[in-house]
């Protein structure tokens, strides 16, 4: 299996621009998670989906962030407008059904907002 | 609310020496506990996990962890460290709900391995 796929791997943009991060979960997994990792705040959960439905978005920083999962094989995390404080590594993870299943992480997208 | 504390931000260990990384958690029920490793520029890879049963859990790469309920701890150990073990290690606690499995991560411990 290819694992969780994220694109792009690196993104550099200017403040105010729209940024879209993409994730393809492992085939057959029914839960998908978006995390953000920064030096100051560590690894924090932004939102997670189960069967394409958002279950908990309490970690989404503010209205500038939005996430969608239109089907079982694709999810996006969008930041509009982006700000320098959004600079971080964004990870996507997926998990098969069942409470004892493991979350598998993608390689991450390193975002720099200038 | 669940939380995880990794008291050591950095640990330096000599190659061949033993390693122990501390993890303390706070959770209202029986926790699901995990250790992940992150190499530079990479995603997180699962080392081991505890759900129930034997409190000593074996993982990949020669790592093990012991769940101690009385101490709310889940410390990670390796008897003999290799240079390739230099990485950042994250402990996480899971909340199992009907529709998912939400993880809360500790701040991580960065391990440096001296030759």
């Amino acid at each position: 299996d290819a694992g969780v796929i994220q694109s792009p791997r690196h993104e550099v943009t200017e403040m105010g621009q729209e940024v879209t991060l993409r994730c393809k979960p492992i085939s057959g997994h029914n839960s998908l998670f978006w995390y953000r990792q920064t030096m100051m705040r560590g690894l924090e959960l932004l939102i997670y989906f189960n069967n394409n439905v958002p279950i908990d978005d309490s970690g989404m920083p503010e209205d500038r962030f939005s996430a969608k999962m239109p089907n079982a094989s694709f999810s996006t995390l969008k930041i509009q407008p982006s700000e320098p404080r959004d600079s971080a590594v964004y990870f996507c993870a997926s998990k098969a059904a069942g409470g004892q299943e493991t979350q598998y992480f993608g390689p991450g997208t390193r975002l720099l907002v200038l | 609310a669940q939380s995880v504390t990794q008291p050591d931000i950095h640990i330096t260990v000599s190659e061949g020496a033993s390693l122990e990384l501390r993890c303390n958690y706070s959770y209202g029920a029986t926790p699901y506990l995990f250790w992940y490793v992150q190499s530079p520029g990479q995603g997180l890879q699962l080392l081991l996990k505890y759900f129930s049963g034997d409190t000593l859990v074996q993982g990949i790469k020669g790592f093990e962890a012991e769940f101690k309920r009385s101490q709310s701890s889940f410390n990670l150990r390796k008897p003999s460290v290799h240079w390739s073990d230099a990485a950042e290690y994250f402990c996480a606690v899971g909340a199992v709900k009907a529709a998912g499995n939400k993880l809360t991560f500790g701040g991580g411990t960065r391990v440096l391995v001296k030759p």
Side-chain angles (χ1 to χ4, degrees):
Chain A
D1 200 317
V4 176
I5 298 172
Q6 292 187 246
S7 64
R9 292 294 310 276
H10 298 89
E11 177 80 31
V12 180
T13 190
E14 292 187 346
M15 183 174 63
Q17 297 298 306
E18 178 180 294
V19 175
T20 299
L21 311 181
R22 297 172 176 80
C23 175
K24 177 178 170 57
I26 293 172
S27 177
H29 284 190
N30 74 329
S31 294
L32 184 140
F33 306 79
W34 282 101
Y35 291 89
R36 179 173 66 176
Q37 185 178 37
T38 61
M39 291 293 293
M40 292 299 295
R41 300 176 66 90
L43 196 63
E44 42 182 357
L45 177 67
L46 299 177
I47 185 172
Y48 78 91
F49 295 83
N50 195 63
N51 294 323
N52 312 335
V53 175
I55 302 299
D56 185 347
D57 65 354
S58 59
M60 294 286 264
E62 49 200 271
D63 292 345
R64 297 185 298 106
F65 285 69
S66 62
K68 294 182 179 179
M69 192 165 186
N71 56 62
S73 59
F74 183 66
S75 177
T76 59
L77 178 68
K78 186 175 293 186
I79 308 172
Q80 167 63 19
S82 58
E83 297 182 2
R85 60 191 169 122
D86 302 330
S87 299
V89 181
Y90 291 82
F91 288 103
C92 176
S94 71
K95 185 183 79 67
Q100 298 189 9
E101 295 299 322
T102 299
Q103 286 189 28
Y104 291 89
F105 282 74
T109 295
R110 187 173 296 273
L111 173 64
L112 178 61
V113 183
L114 302 174
Chain B
Q2 59 205 55
S3 66
V4 178
T5 301
Q6 295 181 242
D8 304 305
I9 297 175
H10 293 98
I11 285 182
T12 300
V13 61
S14 297
E15 191 169 15
S18 64
L19 175 69
E20 181 167 11
L21 304 182
R22 296 183 290 164
C23 172
N24 293 100
Y25 67 88
S26 174
Y27 187 62
T30 300
Y32 290 177
L33 295 159
F34 306 78
W35 275 100
Y36 282 84
V37 60
Q38 183 180 28
S39 298
Q42 302 297 314
L44 279 71
Q45 180 185 20
L46 181 73
L47 285 176
L48 49 79
K49 59 186 178 183
Y50 171 79
F51 289 108
S52 64
D54 193 346
T55 57
L56 186 62
V57 181
Q58 302 297 320
I60 63 171
K61 305 185 181 187
F63 285 92
E64 67 178 25
E66 186 171 12
F67 171 58
K68 292 186 177 180
R69 184 187 302 275
S70 61
Q71 299 178 18
S72 297
S73 69
F74 189 56
N75 294 348
L76 182 71
R77 297 193 293 258
K78 184 168 184 177
S80 178
V81 169
H82 187 260
W83 64 266
S84 60
D85 294 322
E88 190 154 19
Y89 293 79
F90 293 92
C91 182
V93 63
V96 179
K97 299 180 182 179
N101 184 331
K102 182 176 174 177
L103 294 183
T104 298
F105 285 84
T109 298
R110 186 171 298 276
V111 173
L112 302 175
V113 180
K114 294 190 301 184

